[in-house]
């Protein structure tokens, strides 16, 4: 930590900060600049947040040197983490695609889609049984009935099941059906839920909060890791900006940056990240080209009849075409799909 | 709903949309513009989201005419809602101030602060027992022990207790101690929690998500209202923007705009909204000047010893001064405090 | 400047940075942390941007300690700058209000408004003769004819004239009519224009770029100051965020923060900052309550006939009411208007 | 235009709007909804901005149906525009890459880079002679001397010259040297400059303002087109968001969306769009994968000695590698480079 003092900080302020530094078991080095005094704090105390220092009188700002997360950091573990999803691997050389409807609607729908996306090359089936909806008047998902439909689709196709978990109360129920738990963007900072999925051993897809910084995103991952679950997949799904031509701004530069900062696999959700069907195919290719380890996509045989998020779903035919095109890009950058 | 067709939409597309309009029990009016066709949908079907229409082939965009929330709307209830907090009223002519530490630390601390803020004119005491923290390595609150300390502070001072609830699992526990439940910014879209506090009858302070639009904010309020709890207080607490001189951008224009759209009381949190101690006093005056019905503030006798959010806490002395100054502004605009 | 090295930086990298530090005439202090090496650079070299250091191999980031601006800084000049606008003073105890139409439309219009706003207490008249418009098909202003109308309004009322300058080519023409030059939000980073108004001695209202950080805003002011013009008034006019209920998000916390960082006067534009007529009055009161030194407002006798920006203009009657209400707030915080 | 009336709008308000509709030569259709009245305006009057309608009493909002730009619109011209840059074509099947230093520093530097990027396959050389710099204390470019160095580099290599123009005053000077004029992000709304480059016939690279919506961006292009210059190349260069791991958020979904809305070619600037050297290569591949017609890149033989923007420049060797990798992606999506 580097502590920058205010221009008018006196000797008493300086001594007081030094006392605090020693109190937490660190050492200080005092730097006398031309017009400011700066105190460097030596010692790895990631658990002392910058605002501990900011709150001391005379301090202008405290600048952290170390990342606030540790287990997630590439500094701690150099090799890419590969995550086993049933008999498939996500991360490493091979790019994995997860596809399915936004919400499970009925048994026929989910079976039909599962077979379609499997044929086109998906490694897992996504489908929501508990849906977070902005409006209390919207369809909230089929609940356990939806989970049962998903399980039957797994039986028939062998595809792993990915489904969202909304609350730590659901952890037993959802875990008993799902192969991969998904934590949605609105729950990235639901720390009790992060702890619950951390205590589970199921692989977790953690979606970035729509206004989360990368530090916050990686700290959310650290919650899961630090509660004992090493199987965390990070997912960029679009951030909220002033842009209106898409529902969110899909920030693809996050992918190579995350891969520099962490050993965890990183996937992209172009369906929610744009909210626009016609942009899903180009953005899938873009995501793979920048280095994503996978994609998660909304596929619906008849998007206009979709209960939820119809405008961003692609048909099974479009999905097959997307897979083919994206595979060509994957090969061009030396990866497989 | 106004449905704008794509420039190349054919007669078949138009007929198909019209079919859909009738299917949901509405009537259509077809408008033939110079270069586009537009279909107006007549009928109050707020439960059909715009993306139902967006998903139909040939549709460029669907523009809603009605607000998506109903119970929260000023169109439905003209008079300001006043909310009873123990023997005090929030909303209407009088401005109410809620103050206390970010986190409850021990019995002495909370008693000392409670007496201090009561003397200066606060109507309720805030204090966190369950804390949502970005890092798994940060202090997470005292839990039930903290709630007990708060209850004793209420006994001694008569101040109502405001505390955050993080999960629907905690609803019984937290409700048995608190007078007012607080839903934090990171939980504004935790719809299961919104339902749970909706089923409770306790007054709820609902903080705006840091990247929520006003429609999303009011829909979150609608969740609580539609589950039977009319006692919703909306709270602006800063939004995430590109600005870095403050932790968030406190968007004060939200206050008069919300008061136009809804009958619910609106309060402001200048402590989290800026994250900077020196900005709390001016922004409190600003909040009252633009029409806020109340303030919620972090007060700590010794901010640098605060376990959480020290940099934005003000001392009891500063709070007393803030109350005096803000009262003068309240009086200047014809309100009391 | 504090230079944080990458975790894998070697001795060669460190030595290379140290060489660079000495090359620019500074001294270095090497700090060996637990897992990182950090180099503190001693010496006031504000003209070396952080990216000079960022570009050196092995450097992770360079953190500036000093503000990048100097003349604008409160560290350099403690006392508030007061700026003479004809026979009035802006800055200091008294709050000054500038009002008028967005665009000058004709002689009668501008005279009528000038008389109206003068009567209500404005200290200067604003009106655009050269208008920056997003669409090439919109009204672009009357040009010199508009400046003449403004000059005649000054003759009649004694009000100082504030008008926008769009290009350094116009500097002679506009200066020959105007008392105060206004640099609009779209030109805050038009550095040739900033130089031109810097070489003029006229007071300048510099509007914040709609996505400018405070450092960038103050550096834009520094351009004007460093070219010899000390009469710079900073104006917050709303920033671009994800919010849609207003055209921009008026960031009032900027006002007290700027007044801490700089000695220059700070005013607020609630008309452009919200784009909504009904929000102009509350936000004017808010701006004064947080410490603004003045307001700049759009007033039009018949907003719906306004050539430009009708939705945010208030009538002369509303302006008179705004002045009265805002004056009460000014008095409540110990200032005059 | 669709005009939505306020819930309390009376018959007088309605009649008044209808009068206005007829005044501007349009026809109205009155729609009586369940709880609102809506007036559809028939007639192509793109020059009447929505705020003309918003300003009328009783109007809640006016929703435009047509895009505000016309010449730039894909509705008006279906075929992709191809732009001749000396003997090369930008747009269409072939992807063109423009490369060079941020600023021209001396004759040797620019010659050396020109030869390097030509060999690696660039079609044009970029280099700034007039530099827009946030700080008045930073290097502002060599001016005409820099243009001369560029011209000599063209002589030697045959590469077309791309350079930024900062002011309409420079139009003759810069045009006499450059093959392509570049309008920077800070000047996207400098409408006098847009007019000036519109009256020139040189191809123009128009960079998106860092907080411009797509409508604003396309209207800026429309300024150039409507002043007679059809050779407009649009360039996404990153937008300002809350993200801090990159200097800007490079919004790649803009590329396919722009190509749907307009016939103009669209290129991407991954150097400024990220500000981080290590992200330039992945984001270049991403840009091509989503459908960009070209790239503009900063290349410097010795980035740490670069006068400007060193941290984002890549070396000539890295550029050669980028070209090779990007070409593979281009081929994978059926394009050439």
């Amino acid at each position: 930590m580097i502590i920058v003092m205010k221009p008018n900080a006196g000797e008493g302020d300086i001594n007081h900060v030094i006392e605090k530094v020693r109190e937490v078991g660190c050492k200080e080095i005092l730097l006398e600049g031309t017009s400011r005094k700066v105190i460097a704090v030596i010692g790895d105390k990631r658990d002392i947040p910058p605002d501990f220092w900011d709150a001391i009188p005379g301090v202008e700002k405290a600048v952290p040197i170390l990342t606030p997360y540790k287990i997630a950091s590439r500094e701690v573990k150099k090799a890419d983490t590969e995550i086993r999803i049933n008999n498939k691997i996500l991360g490493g050389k091979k790019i994995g695609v997860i596809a399915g409807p936004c919400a499970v609607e009925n048994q026929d729908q989910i079976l039909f889609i599962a077979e379609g996306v499997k044929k086109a090359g998906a490694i897992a089936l996504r489908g929501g049984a508990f849906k977070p909806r902005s409006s209390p008047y919207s369809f909230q998902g089929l609940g356990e009935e939806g989970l049962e439909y998903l399980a039957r689709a797994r039986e028939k196709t062998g595809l792993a099941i990915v489904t969202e978990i909304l609350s730590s109360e659901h952890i037993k129920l959802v875990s008993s059906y799902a192969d991969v738990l998904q934590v949605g963007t609105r729950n990235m900072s639901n720390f009790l839920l992060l702890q619950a999925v951390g205590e589970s051993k199921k692989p977790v897809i953690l979606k970035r909060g729509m206004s989360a910084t990368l530090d916050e995103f990686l700290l959310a991952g650290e919650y899961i890791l630090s509660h004992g679950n090493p199987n965390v997949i990070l997912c960029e799904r679009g951030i909220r900006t002033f842009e209106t031509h898409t529902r969110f701004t899909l920030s693809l530069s996050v992918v190579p940056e995350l891969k520099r900062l962490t050993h965890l696999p990183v996937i992209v959700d172009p369906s929610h990240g744009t909210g626009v069907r016609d942009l899903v195919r180009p953005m899938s290719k873009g995501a793979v080209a920048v280095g994503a380890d996978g994609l998660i996509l909304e596929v619906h045989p008849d998007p206009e009849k979709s209960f939820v998020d119809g405008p961003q779903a692609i048909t099974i035919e479009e999905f097959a075409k997307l897979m083919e095109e994206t595979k060509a890009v994957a090969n061009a950058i030396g990866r497989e799909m």
Side-chain angles (χ1 to χ4, degrees), chain A residues 13-256:
Chain A
D13 293 323
I14 303 277
N15 289 338
H16 185 57
V17 171
I18 290 175
E19 236 169 72
K20 288 277 169 187
V21 171
R22 294 178 183 174
E23 239 173 52
V24 298
C26 290
K27 286 198 310 182
E28 85 288 346
I29 298 179
L30 177 63
L31 305 168
E32 311 223 2
T34 325
S35 51
R36 293 295 179 94
K37 289 197 171 57
V38 167
I39 297 162
V41 181
I42 310 291
D44 180 353
K45 293 273 171 185
R46 275 173 228 242
D47 48 337
I48 305 170
D51 66 11
F52 172 82
W53 305 105
D54 283 335
I56 303 177
V59 171
E60 175 143 317
K61 61 175 172 182
V63 181
I65 301 302
L66 298 175
T67 60
Y69 46 88
K70 199 157 184 172
I71 315 176
S73 171
R74 179 77 82 177
E75 292 182 40
V76 166
K77 173 170 182 294
K78 299 267 177 274
D80 283 349
T81 291
E82 299 186 354
I83 291 174
R84 178 168 294 276
I85 296 180
N86 294 5
N87 56 345
K88 306 279 180 186
I89 295 290
L90 201 128
K93 195 169 182 192
K94 222 167 161 186
I95 292 164
V97 177
I98 299 161
C102 190
V104 180
E105 295 168 15
N106 58 56
Q107 185 65 75
D108 287 352
Q109 172 236 27
I110 197 70
L111 269 182
F112 184 81
I113 296 175
E115 277 156 7
V117 301
K118 186 180 182 186
K119 206 178 143 202
I123 65 161
L125 176 69
R126 57 155 292 159
F130 295 95
K131 297 300 307 170
R133 303 305 304 279
S134 297
S135 166
Y137 308 126
S138 297
F139 173 62
Q140 313 270 327
L142 294 178
E144 185 162 7
E145 188 187 341
L147 295 173
E148 276 162 18
Y149 296 157
L150 285 167
R152 231 160 300 157
R154 173 176 47 202
E155 267 171 53
K156 290 257 185 174
T157 61
L159 287 175
I161 296 303
V162 178
T163 200
E164 183 161 356
I165 176 157
L166 291 185
S167 166
S168 49
E169 293 174 89
H170 294 169
I171 188 88
K172 269 192 197 154
L173 175 66
V174 177
S175 295
S176 69
Y177 289 96
D179 302 299
V180 180
L181 303 172
Q182 180 182 310
V183 175
T185 186
R186 288 168 187 77
N187 276 318
M188 190 205 82
S189 301
N190 184 338
F191 303 116
L192 296 178
L193 179 57
L194 297 179
Q195 287 174 27
V197 299
E199 280 149 21
S200 153
K201 292 294 161 290
K202 295 267 178 188
V204 179
I205 293 176
L206 176 64
K207 290 196 158 185
R208 181 183 181 192
M210 63 181 77
S211 59
T213 62
L214 290 199
D215 268 5
E216 289 167 345
F217 189 18
L218 286 163
L219 277 170
E222 188 88 358
Y223 259 96
I224 302 173
L225 296 168
S226 68
H227 282 80
N229 186 344
N231 301 307
V232 177
I233 299 158
L234 302 173
C235 179
E236 160 66 25
R237 51 76 67 209
I239 56 170
R240 189 147 267 177
T241 72
F242 68 86
E243 290 199 308
T244 53
H245 70 283
T246 40
R247 275 176 67 187
F248 297 97
T249 295
L250 191 63
S251 179
L252 290 186
S253 71
V254 159
V255 176

Side-chain angles (χ1 to χ4, degrees), chain A residues 240-310:
Chain A
R240 189 147 267 177
T241 72
F242 68 86
E243 290 199 308
T244 53
H245 70 283
T246 40
R247 275 176 67 187
F248 297 97
T249 295
L250 191 63
S251 179
L252 290 186
S253 71
V254 159
V255 176
E257 183 64 4
L258 279 174
K259 294 196 71 71
R260 188 180 73 82
L261 295 170
T262 182
H263 50 86
L264 298 171
V266 180
I267 67 173
V268 171
D269 177 347
S271 304
H272 288 90
T274 64
V276 179
R277 185 183 307 154
D278 290 348
L279 298 178
V280 172
R281 254 162 63 199
M283 295 311 282
S284 293
K285 288 182 268 185
V288 166
V290 303
D293 296 309
L295 299 170
I296 181 163
L297 292 162
E298 284 190 14
V299 173
H300 197 286
D302 189 358
E304 71 166 294
K305 286 204 180 121
S306 171
F307 289 9
V308 181
D309 279 344

